[in-house]
Amino acid sequence: MLAMAVQLNAIKTRSDEPMHPDPQVLFLSHGGGPLPLLGDPAHHEMVQCLQRIAPQLRRPDAILVVSAHWEEALPTLTSGQSPGLIYDYAGFPVESYQIAYPCPGFPALAEAIAAQFLAAGIGAKLDPQRGFDHGLFVPLKILFPQAMVPCVQLSLLSSLDPLDHLNLGRLLRGLNQPNLLVIGSGFSFHNMGEFFRSASAETREKNGAFEDWLVETCSSELLSEAEREQRLLHWQQAPHGRFCHPREEHLLPLHVCYGLAQAACPAPLQLTILDKRTSMYLWT
């Protein structure tokens, strides 16, 4: 119990730098499996984009990653001291299964987040056995290659309800963790079938129309926060929303990010990944 109390206290005192009560928030499009780490030309812009983002970030003392690859009935958090890696992809070269990212876990932070959720009456679970999936280790190996920052991963809810995920982000606003970086690791375009087809003029138009809507939704100063929230809650009404997201698990980490940020993204990042228009959003 004493060790846990010390760890919980560390959430407030880990950094010798000035305290930053407002977390940094980043929604990123994490690409296809391990390909960004294998020199794939179709991920060149993604790698460059993350390399440009890295110097803009305050050095975090902890990172919370919302995973598009993990769904649970209740929000669930990795709580192991040294989580391993989950190579949750198949059919890639042997080196894809030898990628290392030995960052530590942060059980006390997982406990604090779970307590925040439980206090709100929504329930939560801790999973001390689960490792980190590629939605964490692929982008973080680019952003923070030294793997020194402790990480916790948070599941999506199996309801896939946009409001539920906005509310998770809202609840994170009350977390007292200085120098926290919250990453929503998803993909602004995630139609798997289209990744394996040559893009036509029609599919490019659909992809572009949704991206234009998403960039406007997340960044336009002309929208009130109530309007921005309603657009995200009803994202299926966006132009070609269901074409770009036949299943919404890769979009919902953005809802968690916005629930936490609750502001227009000042500088959305637009890029091409796997020959598709995509975007990333950074709130600092």
Side-chain angles (χ1 to χ4, degrees):
M1 292 295 292
L2 178 59
M4 179 60 71
V6 170
Q7 255 197 322
L8 285 167
N9 187 57
I11 292 177
K12 301 179 182 179
T13 61
R14 284 179 56 85
S15 179
D16 294 329
E17 298 175 358
M19 290 182 65
H20 298 280
D22 295 327
Q24 301 174 101
V25 184
L26 170 64
F27 172 80
L28 57 82
S29 293
H30 62 226
L35 289 173
L37 303 180
L38 301 180
D40 177 58
H43 288 80
H44 183 63
E45 285 188 37
M46 175 196 155
V47 173
Q48 285 191 323
C49 186
L50 292 179
Q51 289 172 338
R52 287 196 302 271
I53 288 171
Q56 300 177 40
L57 298 170
R58 299 188 305 265
R59 181 184 62 84
D61 287 340
I63 300 172
L64 173 66
V65 177
V66 184
S67 173
H69 298 278
W70 184 20
E71 298 170 24
E72 297 283 352
L74 294 174
T76 306
L77 297 123
T78 58
S79 58
Q81 289 279 2
S82 301
L85 301 187
I86 302 172
Y87 302 108
D88 52 339
Y89 40 73
F92 291 96
V94 64
E95 58 265 31
S96 306
Y97 306 93
Q98 298 170 346
I99 293 169
Y101 194 74
C103 67
F106 198 169
L109 176 59
E111 291 270 6
I113 295 169
Q116 195 86 356
F117 293 162
L118 288 165
I122 66 171
K125 293 194 304 180
L126 299 174
D127 188 337
Q129 304 302 322
R130 192 181 192 277
F132 295 140
D133 63 50
H134 78 270
L136 183 149
F137 68 78
V138 168
L140 289 195
K141 199 168 177 68
I142 301 168
L143 285 167
F144 303 102
Q146 295 82 12
M148 298 292 289
V149 182
C151 295
V152 170
Q153 199 157 11
L154 170 64
S155 74
L156 296 180
L157 294 166
S158 53
S159 68
L160 300 182
D161 185 303
L163 180 57
D164 288 345
H165 291 85
L166 276 171
N167 285 336
L168 290 182
R170 288 193 184 99
L171 290 172
L172 292 173
R173 290 176 67 86
L175 189 68
N176 187 12
Q177 165 58 49
N179 291 322
L180 177 66
L181 171 61
V182 177
I183 295 177
S185 183
F187 214 145
S188 67
F189 178 94
H190 198 257
N191 183 324
M192 287 297 292
E194 291 301 319
F195 286 133
F196 296 97
R197 300 186 188 102
S198 296
S200 66
E202 179 184 7
T203 59
R204 289 188 189 281
E205 188 279 328
K206 290 178 178 179
N207 173 202
F210 180 78
E211 279 295 319
D212 289 343
W213 175 90
L214 192 62
V215 169
E216 180 184 55
T217 295
C218 293
S219 64
S220 174
E221 295 283 359
L222 299 178
L223 295 173
S224 69
E225 297 316 311
E227 290 170 328
R228 199 181 321 279
E229 177 177 315
Q230 286 303 305
R231 286 169 69 121
L232 287 170
L233 288 177
H234 301 287
W235 68 271
Q236 295 180 53
Q237 298 174 13
H240 310 293
R242 272 296 176 198
F243 170 78
C244 295
H245 291 277
R247 194 172 186 274
E248 54 265 48
E249 80 285 346
H250 276 71
L251 184 65
L252 290 174
L254 175 61
H255 290 68
V256 181
C257 288
Y258 176 70
L260 175 54
Q262 293 185 22
C265 174
L269 301 155
Q270 300 182 64
L271 64 155
T272 299
I273 304 175
L274 289 168
D275 198 33
K276 300 294 183 288
R277 275 188 60 189
T278 62
S279 49
M280 304 192 192
Y281 302 91
L282 174 63
W283 293 265
T284 59

